[in-house]
Amino acid sequence: MALNKKTVDDINAKGKRVLVRCDFNVPLKDGVITDETRIVAALPTIKKLIADGGKVILCSHLGKVKNGPNEGESLAPVAARLSEKLGKEVKFISDYNVTGEAATKAVAAMQEGDVVLLQNTRFRGAEETKNGEAFSKELADLADLYVCDAFGSSHRAHASVEGVTKFIKAKGGENAVGYLMQKEIDFLGNAVENPMRPFVAILGGAKVADKLNVISNLLEKCDTLIIGGGMAYTFLKAQGCEVGTSLVDDTKLDYCKEMMDKAKKLGKKLLLPVDTTIAADFPNPIDAEIAIEVVPSNAIPADKMGLDIGTKTAELYADAVKSAKTVVWNGPMGVFENPILAKGTIAVAKSLAETDATTIIGGGDSAAAVNSLGFGDKMSHISTGGGASLEFLEGKTLPGVAAADDK
């Protein structure tokens, strides 16, 4: 799927006010940024617009902001880190109204190459709701051009992602995508629509329900589909295996049977765990010491639960990756936050790191796992959007992509 959208290379930013929707939803601990991946990912687009003489106005959400605006979810730490990375001041507008008088005045005073960062867009309750029109218009009023570079939010039709584009267009402005968005769609689009074969897709994570359409869509595109994580136990139960107290979605047993039939009809390989790592209970806390044993997948005792793929399965999955030319991975193989239950996820990550294939990690927990295990730099591409990359792999249209102008 080629991205036939205007990019930052297609717009003339000189002297123009450019509103850039970034994804600065970074993890914070006591006001300190603990992972700056998303900030680093936004730099190429920001630097390009500065070099072109644009007046760069950045906006993003941070956190879920459930109980209204609060300093714990302010973007102030992001402004400070960005200033360091860019080697120039990023003026932060701390106003909880986001687009109020403070923002208007700061933007009016901007010179070419200046950078301003607005407050957390979610501090305006309307950001996520259907009545975000006023907010969308106020954002558009600040700018002449709009660039969406927040792939992680592109599956949401929010005011700062999609709503703003209508008002920019209405006043003769242009809507483009940034370098990060372009890279995401090039990698994910090519993997799904035009992959080098063999194409292996690996799906993990807890619930089948989260990946229903992804499983179905990928079965049509890939050569081998590997299932791990908590959702494997619903598939195993659908095969008639005893799964003990493992996580199972009984309402999806028929669906799993359908998918196994579909794989057979299409001549695709669908790999399920042949053995599993079990324990008496889920670890509490999650990284606690835990007694485990590895048993065949069809011999899980009634009072035990599966919490990771077993050693034979890890070898089977690693072998499937060895001959692949394209691999897409979304979702860990087990409770990877626990060192004892991370072995399956580590084995898969290691096999991806050692292959010459194009390896694409679909954001969310799989990105966290690959990065925390030290394999991040060995992957061709790590998506910055968990939900967005999943919806993309489902074959859905992402509002943030669709809203950009066609070339």
Side-chain angles (χ1 to χ4, degrees):
M1 175 182 160
L3 178 62
N4 192 34
K5 294 290 181 182
K6 279 188 182 171
T7 73
V8 280
D9 290 326
D10 301 312
I11 58 175
N12 178 12
K14 185 161 177 62
K16 302 265 181 68
R17 301 168 301 162
V18 190
L19 179 69
V20 187
R21 175 54 157 97
C22 299
D23 183 2
F24 294 143
N25 187 20
V26 294
L28 290 171
K29 192 170 183 187
D30 304 322
V32 177
I33 297 166
T34 56
D35 181 352
E36 59 182 35
T37 307
R38 287 177 169 173
I39 292 174
V40 173
L43 293 175
T45 295
I46 298 168
K47 284 178 174 172
K48 159 76 173 160
L49 293 168
I50 292 170
D52 287 354
K55 299 171 181 179
V56 186
I57 307 152
L58 307 174
C59 67
S60 173
H61 78 283
L62 195 161
K64 298 217 184 310
V65 191
K66 290 218 182 310
N67 304 310
N70 65 89
E71 278 308 296
E73 289 170 309
S74 165
L75 283 171
V78 173
R81 188 65 63 89
L82 266 175
S83 297
E84 288 168 23
K85 296 269 180 206
L86 293 169
K88 66 183 296 162
E89 187 202 0
V90 172
K91 188 175 174 61
F92 180 58
I93 313 301
S94 58
D95 178 11
Y96 285 4
N97 187 45
V98 186
T99 53
E101 193 183 350
T104 311
K105 279 185 174 166
V107 170
M110 289 177 85
Q111 304 292 314
E112 290 185 7
D114 282 357
V115 185
V116 160
L117 174 62
L118 304 178
Q119 184 55 280
N120 189 339
T121 53
R122 296 245 172 115
F123 283 5
R124 278 285 291 262
E127 160 76 343
E128 300 169 73
T129 60
K130 294 288 181 207
N131 59 6
E133 291 281 292
F135 185 33
S136 299
K137 184 176 186 313
E138 286 167 35
L139 284 166
D141 285 345
L142 291 174
D144 306 301
L145 304 169
Y146 171 77
V147 173
C148 186
D149 209 23
F151 182 74
S153 301
S154 64
H155 59 314
R156 311 256 186 233
H158 288 173
S160 65
V161 175
E162 184 196 47
V164 62
T165 60
K166 291 176 279 194
F167 293 100
I168 290 283
K169 200 170 215 162
K171 63 181 188 178
E174 294 174 284
N175 297 299
V177 295
Y179 290 135
L180 179 62
M181 283 277 278
Q182 191 180 11
K183 185 181 173 202
E184 292 274 11
I185 289 156
D186 285 351
F187 265 102
L188 288 166
N190 281 330
V192 176
E193 299 304 333
N194 190 26
M196 293 271 290
R197 296 190 181 277
F199 171 25
V200 175
I202 306 169
L203 292 177
K207 299 181 193 143
V208 174
D210 293 346
K211 306 231 164 86
L212 290 178
N213 298 328
V214 183
I215 295 167
S216 185
N217 193 39
L218 283 178
L219 265 180
E220 289 168 20
K221 315 275 188 188
C222 71
D223 301 297
T224 300
L225 179 62
I226 292 173
I227 303 281
M231 67 177 186
Y233 301 103
T234 306
F235 274 91
L236 291 169
K237 188 171 180 180
Q239 274 190 332
C241 297
E242 168 60 63
V243 293
T245 58
S246 306
L247 181 71
V248 166
D249 184 347
D250 285 319
T251 66
K252 297 290 178 278
L253 292 170
D254 286 341
Y255 174 83
C256 290
K257 286 176 190 164
E258 268 173 48
M259 289 303 109
M260 291 187 277
D261 287 344
K262 181 173 180 171
K264 208 173 276 175
K265 275 184 197 139
L266 293 173
K268 306 295 175 80
K269 270 191 200 159
L270 177 63
L271 299 183
L272 293 170
V274 292
D275 61 350
T276 190
T277 301
I278 59 167
D281 290 296
F282 197 87
N284 184 19
I286 202 159
D287 57 354
E289 272 289 316
I290 188 167
I292 57 154
E293 58 183 309
V294 177
V295 298
S297 292
N298 59 359
I300 300 174
D303 60 344
K304 297 282 170 77
M305 60 168 54
L307 295 169
D308 188 18
I309 57 173
T311 40
K312 284 186 178 141
T313 305
E315 283 169 28
L316 174 74
Y317 290 2
D319 273 351
V321 167
K322 269 180 196 154
S323 58
K325 288 280 183 280
T326 305
V327 186
V328 171
W329 178 20
N330 188 291
M333 297 292 101
V335 187
F336 77 97
E337 301 90 341
N338 186 304
I340 299 162
L341 301 169
K343 288 182 182 144
T345 302
I346 291 170
V348 170
K350 194 166 177 292
S351 68
L352 264 67
E354 288 169 356
T355 180
D356 293 330
T358 298
T359 49
I360 298 158
I361 312 302
D365 280 345
S366 11
V370 166
N371 283 325
S372 68
L373 298 170
F375 294 108
D377 60 344
K378 303 283 196 300
M379 304 301 159
S380 308
H381 180 65
I382 299 179
S383 178
T384 54
S389 62
L390 261 186
E391 291 199 10
F392 197 94
L393 294 174
E394 274 181 47
K396 281 189 181 174
T397 299
L398 307 182
V401 178
D405 299 342
D406 291 331
K407 278 193 182 179

